[in-house]
Amino acid sequence: MTLEQAIPNFADWVFEAIRFLPIFMIVFAAAGFMIGYLVSAVRRGPVEGFYAVATVIGSAVVDIANTSVRRTLAMAMLAVQESIRRKVLVAFAVFIVVLLFAGWYLDVKSDNPGRLYLSFVLTSSNYLVLILALFLSTFSLPADIKNRTIYTIVTKPVRGTEIVLGRIIGFMAVGTAILVAMCLISYLFVVRGLSHEHRVDGEIQVTSTELSPDGSLQGSTTYDSHHRHTITMFDDETGETDVVMGHHHAVELAADGYQIGPPEGALAARVVRRGSLRFKDRSGKPGTGVNVGHEWAYRSYIEGGTLAAAVWTFDGMTADRYADGFNLELNLRVFRTHKGNIEKGILGSITIRNPDTGARIRSSEPISFAATEFSIDRQFIPRQLKAIDSDGTVSDVDLFEDLTDDGKLEVWIQCSERGQYYGMAEPDVYVLENDGNFAINFIKGFVGIWLQMLMVTTFGVGFSTFLSGPVGMLATLSTIVVGLFRQFIVDLVSGSMEGGGPIESLIRVLTQANVSIDLDIGRFPTLVVKFLDARFLDVLNVITMSLPDYAGFSTTEFVATGFNIEPSLLAMQVLRALTYFVFVTLIGYFFLKTREVAA
Amino acid sequence: MSESMTADALPEETTDASASDVVVETRNLSKVYRDFWGRQKVNALKALDLEVKQGEIFGLLGPNGSGKSTTIKLLLGLLFPTSGQALVFNKDASDVSKNERIGYLPEESYLYKFLSATETLDFYGRLFDMPADVRRDRVNELISMVGLDWAKRRQLKEYSKGMTRRIGLAQALINDPELILLDEPTTGLDPIGTREMKDLIITLREQGKTVLMCSHLLADVQDVCDRIAILHQGELKELGRVDSLLKVQDVTQMQAQGLSKEAEEKIRAIVAEDGGELLSLENPTTTLEELFLSIVTDSEARPGRRAQGDN
């Protein structure tokens, strides 16, 4: 899996967020007040307008303080009943139908059916639920206003907060029920879809010692579900197959012959420890990696056969955590400047080093490995390592006693082949802590979907307090689209996207000017165009930054590629979603409060 | 001391007039409907001054588009005034807390069609934050009061117009309100339903509640209202007690039993002697319908002018 952005440390993030929140709240309140006052002043004049805004703010405090749970739940209940009447279960039926037909168009011969199945169920649940939330949330309140059923509501002691909150809670209850059902069915679908059986094909026999140095028994399974495995027996009774299509099987010798177990490893949830990355350039000095040109700047490259190295520093590496050593997983990219032996991986080395520069033993002997491109290598780093001490003699050292400093440890990765490069980013190399529980990870993936649904519902209800149904739906849809294209807009604003803003782009399109040449319309017009574009981009930036990053909320990739969704990531998402929930609910309340329901 | 005694001795009419009893008050209340661009579309209500006192049934009367519903919506906070003030229980109409003491029956019963009668009333009960047991009793009580026991489990979409109206009334009374606003309470009801509605409105007054209703069905207003205001094209045209408004001042009515022919002749002679003309031996009040039509005709002929004198 490629993590496009490193997950920030939760504590740092929360600290930053808490520091930023008051500023945000002041800006938010000030902006709200200014807009409210401007509108009010235009309608009623400057003094009356100010008085009206003050009244609204005063009554808002009273309303929020008097918000009753019973009334809110009554509104929520009504939203649930309304959803059922609006045949919300159709969405669920669509999901079932999609699953039933899935078998027809999912590639059963895929290299990794587990990943395929998981992305499929997660993506389809995600989109269906978001569409459902979009329709439910945006049409309800406008329909109430249009049918005037709202008259009998707002003439009761119901606060605007209760109307907005009740709807969000009600629609979320419906969505949650559907999502839980989808989660269960998806899980069964994936587990059943991946389950298959093999038998031993032919006999298991001693193969030549060349292939199997210890002279163990090898054989092959039958061809089932579009694949077969090779069996290797560790001893007379237990063995394992190789990994094909993302899974392997255990093999056991029972009374009635060899038994091959169910598929294992297809549904994983790796719990990983991530380190921080720095680079050494080709002369061994601290530096940055190389950009190999066509690649996107996310990964940096180190040159083979030089002193260039990628150094990860891991924290918390202690003997009680990893009694026998640890598993290091590498997801390196390879950039070849010459073809070399295309059948074989590019060779490299892993060195474990002590970050303490005054330590007696600085570094282990290099452990060599061949990088397999496009798949994850797992290297076991044993506790007992060979090391060269300061005298130049090779000795046995203990990983934790001799090579760590207060739990810190450095992993140096170098490419050994001259003219070839390794590419890496910080999340590409990590220590595998253990294999987490897949089912829990699967649920966490659905929690991510749930949070997206919460935001769509909140925005939908928020927009529906002042827009008609279809317009509100389009507005909510726009927030999703902007959220999904957030990275593009960020790049555009930061200037890393070539071609300039909308006016400049238009001029380039019309004059057929390449994006890489300077704008040729004269000095002053260029300044004007650039200035206007910059202001437009500023506005776009503010809008983008204040809308949720839906792509960032999607954790389906983690589940599909078998990584545990880190609790800190989930916690950040929950906090982000709740912040949106609170602020959008407030905005919705003010819109509802200041509109004429009967107009 | 003597004043209070005098007040006690006087008929109800005078007691009502004390200022503290004012339940609904509008001051210079105006409403202009504007289009999207802020251009004036309709001047729906022009500087309305009204006072509704506690314990009376007040009728707002007027043809379609005269501003009756606008007034009620302004009083409920469903619309915001363009200028002036609408006060209910001395609170601004936009104050949500006033709703605790208000019941409102909208023009058509805008209820959720997918709920049953019981669910509907229970839902509105929750909106008053009523605890479950109180709610259950109140719901049952109201359903029997409006005579819908037999249909209380059916969804409102299966209800006839009259039944929906009844359940609408029941929801307006769920909180045992002090002030009840009824927008066209008798539309869609058959004669029996109309009669029952009118009886109920009178019962509400007997319970000490204040009723503000608007209607264009004159007979209904005449039957139940203590005081009326007649609106036309957003202006107040007439305001006063129904009985005094309808009294025909220059006609005397006399009813007697067992008069002899001679006595009748004597009366005729007296009338003739005084230069009068005996119309009939009955002496009717006019109907509200006649009064209403005359005001509307007068208003159309001379817009912007308050028709006739005060009561």
Side-chain angles (χ1 to χ4, degrees):
Chain A
M1 186 190 70
T2 43
L3 255 183
E4 298 192 8
Q5 278 146 354
I7 302 168
N9 179 301
F10 183 65
D12 293 349
W13 183 84
V14 166
F15 180 72
E16 195 63 21
I18 287 173
R19 228 176 38 143
F20 179 68
L21 196 64
I23 303 170
F24 175 71
M25 279 163 74
I26 291 167
V27 171
F28 175 81
F33 183 83
M34 283 304 293
I35 295 167
Y37 177 68
L38 281 177
V39 173
S40 189
V42 167
R43 280 197 195 156
R44 298 155 186 264
V47 181
E48 276 269 318
F50 182 81
Y51 178 73
V53 174
T55 314
V56 167
I57 293 172
S59 60
V61 175
V62 177
D63 278 358
I64 291 165
N66 282 314
T67 298
S68 124
V69 176
R70 188 181 276 134
R71 280 197 292 263
T72 309
L73 290 183
M75 295 304 300
M77 191 77 141
L78 187 77
V80 171
Q81 280 164 314
E82 184 199 319
S83 312
I84 294 167
R85 184 188 61 97
R86 281 169 65 189
K87 313 229 170 2
V88 65
L89 291 174
V90 169
F92 186 64
V94 168
F95 178 71
I96 300 293
V97 171
V98 166
L99 279 196
L100 288 176
F101 285 89
W104 288 6
Y105 46 81
L106 280 184
D107 176 17
V108 286
K109 291 180 181 169
S110 151
D111 282 341
N112 198 332
R115 180 182 301 187
L116 185 71
Y117 277 44
L118 283 170
S119 338
F120 169 73
V121 290
L122 286 161
T123 313
S124 51
S125 310
N126 202 341
Y127 283 114
L128 269 172
V129 162
L130 292 193
I131 293 169
L132 178 78
L134 189 65
F135 276 91
L136 276 184
S137 61
T138 48
F139 283 94
S140 164
L141 199 52
D144 247 17
I145 292 169
K146 202 175 153 208
N147 301 333
R148 303 181 182 181
T149 38
I150 193 92
Y151 288 13
T152 50
I153 304 287
V154 294
T155 52
K156 306 282 184 284
V158 178
R159 324 281 158 172
T161 41
E162 290 155 352
I163 296 176
V164 175
L165 268 182
R167 278 204 159 63
I168 297 176
I169 294 172
F171 294 138
M172 282 309 286
V174 174
T176 308
I178 288 181
L179 200 60
V180 166
M182 281 180 174
C183 179
L184 281 174
I185 291 171
S186 299
Y187 186 78
L188 291 177
F189 176 80
V190 171
V191 170
R192 285 191 55 106
L194 294 179
S195 111
H196 61 273
E197 282 182 357
H198 294 284
R199 279 170 295 105
V200 177
D201 191 24
E203 281 179 23
I204 290 186
Q205 47 196 218
V206 181
T207 50
S208 72
T209 49
E210 202 184 329
L211 276 172
S212 165
D214 53 354
S216 65
L217 294 159
Q218 287 214 326
S220 168
T221 67
T222 48
Y223 187 82
D224 299 292
S225 302
H226 312 281
H227 67 284
R228 72 167 78 239
H229 298 265
T230 307
I231 302 170
T232 306
M233 299 301 292
F234 303 133
D235 51 46
D236 286 345
E237 274 161 19
T238 55
E240 204 178 56
T241 69
D242 59 347
V243 175
V244 178
M245 292 171 98
H247 69 275
H248 60 89
H249 301 261
V251 184
E252 215 176 47
L253 182 62
D256 51 347
Y258 289 100
Q259 293 295 317
I260 298 176
E264 287 170 23
L267 301 175
R270 299 181 192 82
V271 180
V272 301
R273 177 177 296 275
R274 297 188 188 277
S276 61
L277 171 65
R278 64 199 156 89
F279 287 97
K280 298 279 179 192
D281 67 13
R282 56 190 319 227
S283 55
K285 295 198 181 76
T288 53
V290 183
N291 186 342
V292 292
H294 67 98
E295 294 284 338
W296 131 73
Y298 173 64
R299 285 200 168 79
S300 295
Y301 284 75
I302 52 169
E303 192 181 342
T306 66
L307 291 173
V311 183
W312 274 267
T313 309
F314 291 100
D315 215 342
M317 303 297 291
T318 53
D320 43 320
R321 279 212 181 89
Y322 311 96
D324 305 321
F326 61 87
N327 273 309
L328 193 67
E329 287 200 329
L330 309 108
N331 181 23
L332 302 177
R333 289 289 177 275
V334 171
F335 179 73
R336 295 171 187 247
T337 55
H338 58 90
K339 196 163 124 192
N341 184 350
I342 204 75
E343 294 287 314
K344 292 178 89 172
I346 300 294
L347 294 174
S349 68
I350 301 170
T351 317
I352 310 296
R353 293 183 73 151
N354 192 331
D356 178 11
T357 47
R360 189 179 62 84
I361 294 160
R362 286 298 324 279
S363 137
S364 74
E365 288 266 75
I367 303 161
S368 63
F369 73 100
T372 57
E373 295 167 53
F374 310 115
S375 69
I376 297 172
D377 287 330
R378 186 181 289 192
Q379 293 289 329
F380 182 69
I381 310 294
R383 183 153 177 188
Q384 301 304 324
L385 291 166
K386 297 263 186 235
I388 312 166
D389 62 19
S390 43
D391 312 335
T393 51
V394 178
S395 57
D396 286 326
V397 293
D398 182 89
L399 182 64
F400 298 108
E401 277 172 24
D402 299 313
L403 290 171
T404 61
D405 175 31
D406 199 18
K408 280 197 175 64
L409 170 153
E410 285 180 0
V411 173
W412 289 54
I413 290 179
Q414 286 172 296
C415 178
S416 312
E417 294 188 34
R418 189 162 290 277
Q420 311 289 37
Y421 291 78
Y422 278 168
M424 63 277 287
E426 197 164 85
D428 286 341
V429 172
Y430 50 85
V431 175
L432 185 67
E433 296 257 299
N434 53 49
D435 283 323
N437 186 322
F438 171 76
I440 290 174
N441 204 37
F442 191 69
I443 292 170
K444 284 191 212 160
F446 270 87
V447 170
I449 299 177
W450 188 87
L451 291 173
Q452 293 178 52
M453 179 171 74
L454 174 65
M455 281 185 301
V456 171
T457 308
T458 310
F459 272 92
V461 174
F463 279 122
S464 73
T465 54
F466 63 100
L467 295 175
S468 70
V471 181
M473 194 187 82
L474 281 180
T476 313
L477 200 60
S478 320
T479 67
I480 302 177
V481 172
V482 172
L484 290 174
F485 287 98
R486 186 192 184 91
Q487 193 56 45
F488 172 78
I489 295 169
V490 169
D491 288 347
L492 203 63
V493 173
S494 69
S496 58
M497 194 71 73
E498 282 179 324
I503 306 175
E504 187 180 335
S505 301
L506 183 68
I507 294 170
R508 285 182 190 278
V509 168
L510 294 178
T511 58
Q512 302 190 349
N514 190 299
V515 290
S516 56
I517 61 168
D518 284 336
L519 205 56
D520 187 21
I521 51 170
R523 219 173 89 86
F524 184 68
T526 308
L527 278 176
V528 172
V529 164
K530 294 235 185 227
F531 176 81
L532 291 177
D533 273 353
R535 297 295 78 76
F536 177 82
L537 289 177
D538 285 344
V539 173
L540 198 62
N541 192 27
V542 168
I543 294 173
T544 313
M545 286 304 145
S546 45
L547 291 177
D549 175 12
Y550 282 94
F553 271 92
S554 175
T555 44
T556 53
E557 182 82 348
F558 279 82
V559 180
T561 51
F563 281 92
N564 183 46
I565 299 168
E566 289 169 32
S568 61
L569 179 65
L570 204 61
M572 278 181 238
Q573 292 183 342
V574 169
L575 288 179
R576 278 204 188 106
L578 284 181
T579 312
Y580 278 111
F581 170 70
V582 169
F583 281 95
V584 176
T585 304
L586 262 180
I587 296 172
Y589 161 77
F590 277 110
F591 272 112
L592 197 60
K593 176 96 189 161
T594 51
R595 75 171 284 171
E596 289 183 316
V597 178
Chain B
M1 185 67 194
S2 66
E3 260 181 33
S4 72
M5 280 185 69
T6 334
D8 282 341
L10 282 172
E12 239 180 79
E13 193 181 346
T14 324
T15 351
D16 279 355
S18 74
S20 61
D21 288 346
V22 174
V23 173
V24 173
E25 190 183 358
T26 67
R27 293 180 194 154
N28 206 17
L29 189 65
S30 306
K31 179 67 189 173
V32 177
Y33 288 112
R34 294 179 191 279
D35 67 3
F36 179 79
W37 307 106
R39 289 177 302 195
Q40 184 168 329
K41 248 173 38 183
V42 188
N43 204 342
L45 199 62
K46 297 168 199 162
L48 179 69
D49 285 308
L50 268 188
E51 274 186 6
V52 179
K53 284 150 202 156
Q54 206 214 316
E56 70 175 344
I57 302 178
F58 191 94
L60 279 173
L61 214 58
N64 293 332
S66 59
K68 314 180 294 282
S69 278
T70 301
T71 309
I72 289 210
K73 284 173 185 164
L74 284 165
L75 287 171
L76 286 164
L78 291 170
L79 291 174
F80 304 145
T82 310
S83 67
Q85 266 188 311
L87 299 173
V88 179
F89 297 116
N90 263 323
K91 288 179 181 165
D92 193 81
S94 62
D95 189 333
V96 179
S97 63
K98 74 173 194 311
N99 293 351
E100 299 275 2
R101 300 157 72 187
I102 288 184
Y104 168 55
L105 173 68
E107 199 171 342
E108 280 167 46
S109 298
Y110 303 121
L111 302 169
Y112 293 95
K113 304 266 182 252
F114 52 87
L115 298 178
S116 72
T118 320
E119 284 169 341
T120 303
L121 295 184
D122 187 68
F123 168 65
Y124 290 112
R126 280 169 201 262
L127 297 188
F128 282 99
D129 222 342
M130 291 159 74
D133 47 341
V134 177
R135 221 158 57 216
R136 198 173 43 241
D137 294 347
R138 185 77 186 143
V139 167
N140 289 331
E141 187 187 326
L142 284 170
I143 287 183
S144 9
M145 191 194 90
V146 295
L148 284 173
D149 272 315
W150 56 280
K152 64 180 178 186
R153 304 238 172 273
R154 277 163 58 182
Q155 288 195 335
L156 298 196
K157 64 182 171 199
E158 298 170 17
Y159 272 31
S160 71
K161 197 165 183 190
M163 288 159 79
T164 319
R165 205 82 193 125
R166 285 155 191 256
I167 208 72
L169 181 70
Q171 68 80 28
L173 299 176
I174 188 92
N175 56 327
D176 196 15
E178 293 164 47
L179 168 67
I180 299 134
L181 296 117
L182 306 169
D183 200 344
E184 310 282 356
T186 51
T187 41
L189 293 180
D190 58 17
I192 299 169
T194 308
R195 180 77 260 159
E196 283 171 356
M197 178 68 85
K198 287 195 265 191
D199 287 347
L200 187 96
I201 293 170
I202 290 165
T203 316
L204 289 172
R205 179 185 48 194
E206 282 163 6
Q207 290 168 5
K209 300 185 191 308
T210 313
V211 179
L212 173 60
M213 60 182 274
C214 75
S215 181
H216 54 250
L217 297 174
L218 306 170
D220 300 346
V221 176
Q222 183 174 8
D223 286 350
V224 296
C225 288
D226 297 319
R227 289 204 304 147
I228 54 166
I230 297 180
L231 294 174
H232 185 238
Q233 292 173 341
E235 286 171 28
L236 179 66
K237 295 293 179 187
E238 183 61 84
L239 177 71
R241 291 195 62 85
V242 174
D243 41 16
S244 49
L245 279 177
L246 299 185
K247 189 167 282 171
V248 181
Q249 302 289 355
D250 58 348
V251 178
T252 313
Q253 186 171 15
M254 180 177 146
Q255 269 188 328
Q257 211 173 4
L259 279 188
S260 64
K261 280 276 175 210
E262 296 84 66
E264 256 185 48
E265 283 307 317
K266 274 182 196 162
I267 291 166
R268 283 181 198 279
I270 291 165
V271 171
E273 207 171 279
D274 266 20
E277 184 196 354
L278 189 72
L279 302 171
S280 71
L281 277 180
E282 56 182 17
N283 191 343
T285 54
T286 181
T287 61
L288 184 55
E289 191 167 0
E290 280 166 30
L291 174 72
F292 181 75
L293 287 176
S294 78
I295 285 174
V296 171
T297 326
D298 183 48
S299 165
E300 270 163 2
R302 278 168 290 181
R305 185 184 157 275
R306 177 93 175 250
Q308 295 189 357
D310 258 341
N311 61 315

